[in-house]
Amino acid sequence: MSRQPHDRDDHVAPGDDDLIAATAGEPPEEAPEPARNAFDALVVRGGRIAAWLVFIAMAISVFEVIMRYAFDSPTSWVHESVVMLVAATFALGGPVALAANKHIRVRVLYDSAGPSLKRWLDRFNDLVTFVFCVAMSYAAFVMFWDSAHNPFGEWSLERSGTSWNPPFPSLAKGMIMLALMIMTLQALLHLIQSLRARATPPSHDRG
């Protein structure tokens, strides 16, 4: 029986999957990077739950279309609710991206550095991230405080001013503040970890 070119040996090692995929013209699968600590893992799990907000936004949008065009009874709450849900999803995406190490990075210098320099670059990056998150958290707190209090200092949430008039502007600003506070705690933990880390010596394959 002739052997077809695409047949695969049963004894191929698991580590050769990427090589086979590259030979076949398929991009190798990238293994997800693990969370740096338990808090990051918790944030990632929470992000998976928060992702359902997008599904809720889609569901009520479909409801609005049906009510508007099938029953000629448009709602007054769907549009603002969808905007609020999507805004919350985007805000919470920051901590999730930081926890899963999926934020945008320029690694030209980092990849060419040695283990010791990489360790110091990690420390510098975590320090800058922490300072940035602290500053942004303070700005978000001021923004939320102003939207949640009237000029006399009394608690009064800012509202949208529409016929439904929900307090979504204040809630959205509060969600941004919450996301930045979470990122500040993440950045602090990352900085502590990088300060404690030791350089990883390069591995040498033995022949």
Side-chain angles (χ1 to χ4, degrees), residues 75-91:
T75 65
S76 61
W77 56 271
V78 167
H79 176 73
E80 290 180 284
S81 298
V82 169
V83 172
M84 176 62 197
L85 291 172
V86 174
T89 305
F90 271 92

Side-chain angles (χ1 to χ4, degrees), residues 58-178:
M58 182 274 297
I60 63 177
S61 296
V62 172
F63 173 77
E64 161 67 14
V65 171
I66 294 174
M67 294 300 295
R68 177 181 294 270
Y69 296 104
F71 299 99
D72 194 24
S73 180
T75 65
S76 61
W77 56 271
V78 167
H79 176 73
E80 290 180 284
S81 298
V82 169
V83 172
M84 176 62 197
L85 291 172
V86 174
T89 305
F90 271 92
L92 295 175
V96 174
L98 185 59
N101 203 23
K102 295 297 182 182
H103 47 283
I104 298 175
R105 294 167 293 179
V106 180
R107 301 176 57 96
V108 176
L109 175 62
Y110 187 84
D111 288 341
S112 61
S116 179
L117 180 56
K118 282 184 177 180
R119 184 172 78 255
W120 284 103
L121 288 174
D122 287 336
R123 292 172 176 175
F124 176 76
N125 178 73
D126 291 336
L127 175 61
V128 171
T129 302
F130 174 68
V131 173
F132 174 80
C133 288
V134 169
M136 292 299 295
S137 296
Y138 174 76
F141 170 77
V142 173
M143 180 177 64
F144 172 71
W145 180 272
D146 292 341
S147 70
H149 294 79
N150 60 25
F152 300 101
E154 300 171 343
W155 181 264
S156 178
L157 294 178
E158 179 185 359
R159 295 181 175 271
S160 64
T162 62
S163 58
W164 186 35
N165 201 30
F168 285 165
S170 283
L171 296 181
K173 294 173 183 178
M175 188 63 65
I176 294 173
M177 181 185 68
L178 174 63

Side-chain angles (χ1 to χ4, degrees), residues 22-40:
T23 305
E26 300 176 0
E29 295 183 0
E30 296 184 0
E33 298 185 23
R36 293 178 63 172
N37 51 57
F39 184 70
D40 281 345

Side-chain angles (χ1 to χ4, degrees), residues 38-57:
F39 184 70
D40 281 345
L42 180 62
V43 170
V44 172
R45 287 195 294 268
R48 292 171 183 164
I49 298 174
W52 284 96
L53 295 176
V54 178
F55 176 79
I56 297 174

